[in-house]
Amino acid sequence: MIGKLNHVAIAVPDLEAGTVVYRDTLGAKVSEPLPLPEHGVTTVFVALPNTKIELLHPLGEDSPIAKFLEKNPSGGIHHVCYEVEDIEAAAAKMKESGARALGDIKIGAHNKPVLFLHPKDFCGTLVELEQA
Amino acid sequence: MIGKLNHVAIAVPDLEAGTVVYRDTLGAKVSEPLPLPEHGVTTVFVALPNTKIELLHPLGEDSPIAKFLEKNPSGGIHHVCYEVEDIEAAAAKMKESGARALGDIKIGAHNKPVLFLHPKDFCGTLVELEQA
């Protein structure tokens, strides 16, 4: 069912410092910071030849990554995102397998339908499924 | 400098359960477990169209992932691995940038030269560089 790894999301306490690490130290191509107020994050995209890294920094109150950064003050990998062809079918498959979703299907940061899955049912890893 | 994301490594407390999650729940293609005693892990490879997920389980004493699993008993993302063309040049670049490596270049689990980088200097993320 899952297709490509769409991105690895890394929460960072300092977006400029994270950008410097990926652009200057690791020599990757990075985007300008993109504020996504409706998702509570500002994102810098790191373009790799086969996938993306997304640096996430909290934006506004109730950012979905604020608590994660409290627990991980140096930052860390927040989630991985796998592509699926049909998000409704994927959600049904999760239910059938007894694997928990976090909330319902919603529109994600790439303006595509997404579903987040419970880390306890996915090897301790927060998983996002995105309709490709 | 960095090229493709070679893999995302996920430490799992139960390799069979992790395999079931990726094979049956997420519907991905998984390998048989591969014991790598010289690296202190047994690995299951999850093949995605653009990269790999590697499920890691401790093997033998002094496994490099034993402490991580003590701290993260449900498992979690242990490291990301980026490809580089020239590991010696990459190591020199790290030194020049003031970014810390963890030990020296050695032969990694894919029989290629690798260098691990200090999470504190890489957004709280353990990074492996592998010569492609």
Side-chain angles (χ1 to χ4, degrees), chain A residues 12-24 30 44 46 55, chain B residues 123:
Chain A
V12 296
D14 179 334
L15 197 55
E16 177 55 25
T19 301
V20 165
V21 164
Y22 271 85
R23 185 190 58 206
D24 300 342
V30 305
V44 166
V46 180
L55 305 180
Chain B
C123 308

Side-chain angles (χ1 to χ4, degrees), chain A residues 8-109:
Chain A
V8 176
I10 301 179
V12 296
D14 179 334
L15 197 55
E16 177 55 25
T19 301
V20 165
V21 164
Y22 271 85
R23 185 190 58 206
D24 300 342
T25 309
L26 292 174
K29 201 166 142 186
V30 305
S31 76
E32 290 297 310
L34 180 68
L36 297 166
E38 68 277 29
H39 296 287
V41 293
T42 301
T43 303
V44 166
F45 296 90
V46 180
L48 301 181
N50 59 337
T51 189
K52 291 190 295 288
I53 306 296
E54 296 189 8
L55 305 180
L56 304 181
H57 188 257
L59 176 64
E61 284 171 33
D62 302 321
S63 169
I65 61 166
K67 264 192 195 164
F68 180 89
L69 282 171
E70 266 171 42
K71 279 191 208 165
N72 303 277
S74 310
I77 297 175
H78 184 262
H79 67 267
V80 288
C81 175
Y82 302 125
E83 296 178 2
V84 295
E85 276 186 27
D86 179 338
I87 196 80
E88 299 280 356
K93 180 83 191 306
M94 295 307 111
K95 204 168 267 180
E96 181 197 310
S97 306
R100 286 166 286 181
L102 292 169
D104 296 318
I105 295 166
K106 55 185 178 180
I107 297 301

Side-chain angles (χ1 to χ4, degrees), chain A residues 108-125:
Chain A
H110 308 143
N111 286 317
K112 292 178 176 177
V114 302
L115 182 67
F116 280 89
L117 306 179
H118 200 304
K120 290 251 159 126
D121 292 341
F122 292 89
C123 309
T125 302

Side-chain angles (χ1 to χ4, degrees), chain A residues 1 22 24 27 50 82 93, chain B residues 1 22 24 27 50 82 93:
Chain A
M1 185 184 68
Y22 271 85
D24 300 342
N50 59 337
Y82 302 125
K93 180 83 191 306
Chain B
M1 186 182 70
Y22 271 84
D24 300 342
N50 60 336
Y82 302 125
K93 180 83 192 307

